[in-house]
Amino acid sequence: MDSNSPLLATQGTLTGIGVGPGDPDLITLKALKCLQAADVVAFPRGRSGQPGLAETIIAPHLGQQQLLPLDFPYSFDPDRLTRAWQQAGDRIWQCLVQGRDVVFACEGDLSFYGTFNYLALTLEQRYSTATIRRIPGICSPMAAVSALGLPLTMQSDKLVVLPALYAVDDLDAALAWADVVVLLKVGSVYSQVWQLLHQRHLLAHSWVVVNATQPTQTVYRPLTPYPHLDLPYFSLMVIRSGANPLP
């Protein structure tokens, strides 16, 4: 399409903003300004009719913008996921071609396993003239260690982040060389992880943070008395396995 096309002259911009881990005050000033200036605010629709986390975070900052909840299935089916991304991209494109600026709110940081990555890629593939910007945010490991009052890394610490753990052997391999390991979505494998940490004498240097920075934030430290925990989705474990673990 010609760069002088009337469509491009009036086309809106899609901006992805990382809105942080839960506390509405942790959204950056740049993201806040963009959010409040947008014509349309999009976000993942929550489950069972309840607001999703991103929607909850931005709610105190919204004015009269049009709200655009988008449906993203909790599924590993590639065909189902592709259809959802395409439908979401098409809905946003219809706003952009009307000259309306759209903000997509993503919890945490956009680049850190963020939903926005898939949406932006789909939009770029289907509509090559789309203009897309990104504004970073605070991701969950940073929020978790702040709640713990600990640094995430120091000096030459080697860091590993495992977004989902399907085999405890993966953690065992990471612990063999990393000084700090962060496990996201640890709830489904917590008991197996606890046993491994017990064998490696690391329970006193491992911590779990649930719903970091949110009103329901809960911290488990040390993990020695907690061989079994029923943890929700937004649960994160930090393990310091280096030669000189923090107290």
Side-chain angles (χ1 to χ4, degrees):
M1 186 176 294
D2 189 276
S3 60
N4 294 319
S5 164
L7 175 61
L8 287 181
T10 59
Q11 185 177 301
T13 297
L14 170 64
T15 303
I17 62 172
V19 298
D23 183 348
D25 288 344
L26 289 179
I27 188 171
T28 67
L29 288 174
K30 187 168 186 176
L32 178 60
K33 291 175 182 177
C34 186
L35 175 69
Q36 295 178 334
D39 302 303
V40 180
V41 177
F43 45 81
R45 191 190 303 274
R47 297 188 189 187
S48 305
Q50 298 299 311
L53 179 57
E55 181 182 1
T56 301
I57 294 169
I58 63 176
H61 303 303
L62 293 174
Q64 300 302 312
Q65 302 97 322
Q66 176 189 340
L67 303 184
L68 185 62
L70 299 173
D71 295 304
F72 301 124
Y74 294 87
S75 170
F76 293 105
D77 182 342
D79 292 334
R80 189 179 176 196
L81 288 170
T82 297
R83 287 194 299 271
W85 297 125
Q86 290 176 346
Q87 290 168 2
D90 290 346
R91 292 187 67 188
I92 286 179
W93 178 248
Q94 291 306 309
C95 296
L96 298 180
V97 296
Q98 295 171 13
R100 310 175 76 194
D101 290 327
V102 180
V103 158
F104 182 89
C106 181
E107 68 256 16
D109 174 74
L110 299 170
S111 65
F112 192 71
Y113 307 109
T115 305
F116 182 76
N117 298 320
Y118 305 98
L119 177 61
L121 180 61
T122 300
L123 195 66
E124 289 170 338
Q125 291 173 340
R126 291 170 68 82
Y127 305 104
S128 61
T129 62
T131 301
I132 301 174
R133 297 192 305 152
R134 292 165 171 81
I135 298 175
I138 298 171
C139 61
S140 55
M142 309 307 176
V145 293
S146 292
L148 292 168
L150 298 174
L152 182 59
T153 56
M154 296 178 66
Q155 297 181 346
S156 59
D157 281 346
K158 298 183 292 294
L159 171 67
V160 168
V161 177
L162 297 177
L165 189 65
Y166 301 109
V168 177
D169 287 348
D170 293 338
L171 175 58
D172 203 23
L175 290 172
W177 68 272
D179 300 293
V180 182
V181 177
V182 175
L183 301 180
L184 309 181
K185 307 172 189 174
V186 71
S188 62
V189 292
Y190 175 79
S191 295
Q192 299 97 298
V193 169
W194 190 95
Q195 291 295 335
L196 176 60
L197 297 177
H198 175 66
Q199 294 168 12
R200 283 180 163 266
H201 307 289
L202 287 172
L203 289 171
H205 303 289
S206 303
W207 308 268
V208 167
V209 181
V210 178
N211 297 331
T213 79
Q214 301 175 45
T216 54
Q217 173 181 290
T218 306
V219 175
Y220 295 94
R221 58 186 302 172
L223 295 182
T224 309
Y226 301 109
H228 304 287
L229 288 174
D230 185 13
L231 298 172
Y233 183 81
F234 289 109
S235 299
L236 178 154
M237 180 183 290
V238 179
I239 306 165
R240 285 206 62 95
S241 57
N244 297 297
L246 295 174

